[in-house]
Amino acid sequence: MMEKKDIRIVFMGTPEFAVESLRALVNGGYNVVGVVTMPDKPMGRHGSVLQSSAVKQYAESVGLPILQPEKLKDESFLEDLRAWKADLQIVVAFRMLPEVVWGMPAYGTFNLHASLLPQYRGAAPINWAVINGEKETGVTTFILTHGMDTGKIIKQRKIAIHESDNVGVVHDKLMHIGAELVTETVDLIRENRVNALSQDLLSENIELHPAPKLFKETCRINWEQSAIDIYNFIRGLSPYPAAWTNLIDAKGDAFVLKIYQTEKLLTPHTHQKGSILSDNKSFIDIAVRDGYVRLLSIQLAGKKQMDVSSFLNGFKDITSYRVME
């Protein structure tokens, strides 16, 4: 069995979700010889400030060497990567790797994915699991190969999704158990105990749900759906990137409203779908086909997120508006 210090690891990741896994490797005494992350992003009004990724910030804090390639097939990057002489590469929330990168180490490359593969392959697995009203999800480590999220599964861990959980809550749960799964997977590799399972064996006779990247239009609320589906959609996008809708009044004045938290009220009614009911003090209900969606936490463009009572203090006559189809 190889000791922890004997297996040279290169870690690849970018957002906060990946930091927990890198931290677990460092604190666990594993031999992380380098980190690959995204280039710094221009921020601010004129793009004059460069923002480092969360992974870079952590890597710098513990003195790890860092590479930030623009292109993963760039020969200078590949030379620098080879110079680290990695035995194993670990990918957590990074980007699609070319074979020249994932095939480089002797022990290959494995990926931590935030779903129970083969379900929810794609860029936004946590969001889509909540949007679709799943009762459980999890994390998977798998061997990186051709195709997105299709390699053989090494190990999985499950968690429950509670009806009140939003995607932020689920994200944080998966971030922590994912970090544990990463170190457990490294241990299996160094102990030569990996028994990887083909995803094809798990996907027979079941419907697979994809997890495509989210765009602004993806996050627009469809008020034709049921109250439960709308409730799940909103919590599946909260706190980020946030579900939104347009409200419009009889004069044609319209504004965008982001919605972060709701309740579903499954009460029969005769109101027109999309109409808004309110006492202009404490509640806003939007009529849908099988009840109402009660807004709890919302945000106007250019304003702070606030509870509905605070919103109504400065916005009277909300009932003159309706949601735009």
Side-chain angles (χ1 to χ4, degrees):
M1 181 182 75
M2 297 180 70
E3 297 297 323
K4 289 180 181 180
K5 63 179 174 27
D6 295 332
I7 185 165
R8 296 173 62 84
I9 296 171
V10 167
F11 184 89
M12 302 183 179
T14 296
E16 189 65 37
F17 187 89
V19 172
E20 196 64 26
S21 292
L22 179 55
R23 181 183 289 114
L25 291 165
V26 171
N27 292 346
Y30 296 86
N31 186 17
V32 180
V33 298
V35 169
V36 182
T37 190
M38 293 287 281
D40 295 355
K41 276 187 172 182
M43 303 289 284
R45 180 173 297 178
H46 304 293
S48 56
V49 179
L50 291 178
Q51 176 69 45
S52 301
S53 74
V55 162
K56 179 181 178 180
Q57 292 174 42
Y58 174 75
E60 286 181 330
S61 76
V62 292
L64 292 173
I66 300 164
L67 292 175
Q68 295 177 270
E70 291 281 354
K71 297 180 180 179
L72 296 177
K73 290 184 179 180
D74 183 84
E75 192 53 44
S76 63
F77 162 66
L78 294 174
E79 286 180 12
D80 291 340
L81 186 60
R82 289 188 194 102
W84 282 342
K85 298 178 180 178
D87 301 304
L88 174 69
Q89 291 174 159
I90 300 171
V91 179
V92 183
F94 187 48
R95 55 204 271 201
M96 288 284 286
L97 300 184
E99 184 174 359
V100 68
V101 174
W102 59 253
M104 192 179 292
Y107 290 96
T109 302
F110 77 81
N111 195 119
L112 175 73
H113 187 72
S115 80
L116 297 173
L117 290 173
Q119 294 289 7
Y120 296 104
R121 294 170 178 155
I126 310 176
N127 299 92
W128 285 107
V130 179
I131 288 169
N132 289 340
E134 299 286 2
K135 298 296 189 289
E136 70 174 15
T137 187
V139 283
T140 303
T141 51
F142 69 95
I143 300 167
L144 216 57
T145 185
H146 296 287
M148 180 178 282
D149 305 329
T150 57
K152 289 186 176 180
I153 290 171
I154 304 171
K155 199 172 174 93
Q156 290 186 323
R157 291 271 293 275
K158 295 180 180 180
I159 64 160
I161 301 177
H162 302 294
E163 194 178 13
S164 59
D165 288 346
N166 66 18
V167 75
V169 171
V170 179
H171 170 281
D172 290 353
K173 290 179 185 177
L174 293 180
M175 180 174 67
H176 292 291
I177 69 163
E180 294 172 4
L181 198 67
V182 163
T183 58
E184 291 170 10
T185 300
V186 175
D187 290 343
L188 288 176
I189 291 168
R190 67 186 184 85
E191 294 165 8
N192 196 28
R193 293 194 296 115
V194 173
N195 185 19
L197 179 67
S198 170
Q199 292 191 39
D200 291 341
L201 298 175
L202 298 176
S203 59
E204 293 178 355
N205 303 317
I206 64 169
E207 180 186 0
L208 294 182
H209 302 291
K213 186 176 180 178
L214 296 168
F215 297 95
K216 181 180 179 181
E217 195 56 35
T218 316
C219 301
R220 185 174 183 170
I221 300 166
N222 176 8
W223 296 101
E224 294 293 324
Q225 292 185 307
S226 69
I228 291 174
D229 287 343
I230 295 169
Y231 170 81
N232 289 338
F233 184 79
I234 290 167
R235 69 190 181 101
L237 297 169
S238 178
Y240 183 83
W244 62 275
T245 191
N246 280 315
L247 301 188
I248 188 167
D249 67 6
K251 296 180 291 184
D253 292 332
F255 63 90
V256 174
L257 190 70
K258 288 185 176 180
I259 303 177
Y260 293 91
Q261 187 180 8
T262 63
E263 290 178 355
K264 53 187 184 301
L265 306 176
L266 304 181
T267 308
H269 64 81
T270 57
H271 297 287
Q272 184 179 0
K273 280 185 293 185
S275 58
I276 296 174
L277 291 82
S278 176
D279 62 356
N280 286 312
K281 292 180 181 178
S282 62
F283 76 87
I284 300 173
D285 293 347
I286 299 178
V288 295
R289 69 172 187 244
D290 61 346
Y292 304 93
V293 174
R294 174 161 290 181
L295 309 189
L296 299 178
S297 180
I298 56 181
Q299 182 182 17
L300 277 173
K303 303 291 185 180
K304 293 181 179 180
Q305 183 180 337
M306 62 185 72
D307 61 54
V308 160
S309 294
S310 299
F311 171 80
L312 289 172
N313 280 340
F315 192 103
K316 300 302 182 185
D317 204 23
I318 189 67
T319 54
S320 65
Y321 288 78
R322 58 173 285 106
V323 298
M324 289 178 65
E325 301 299 335

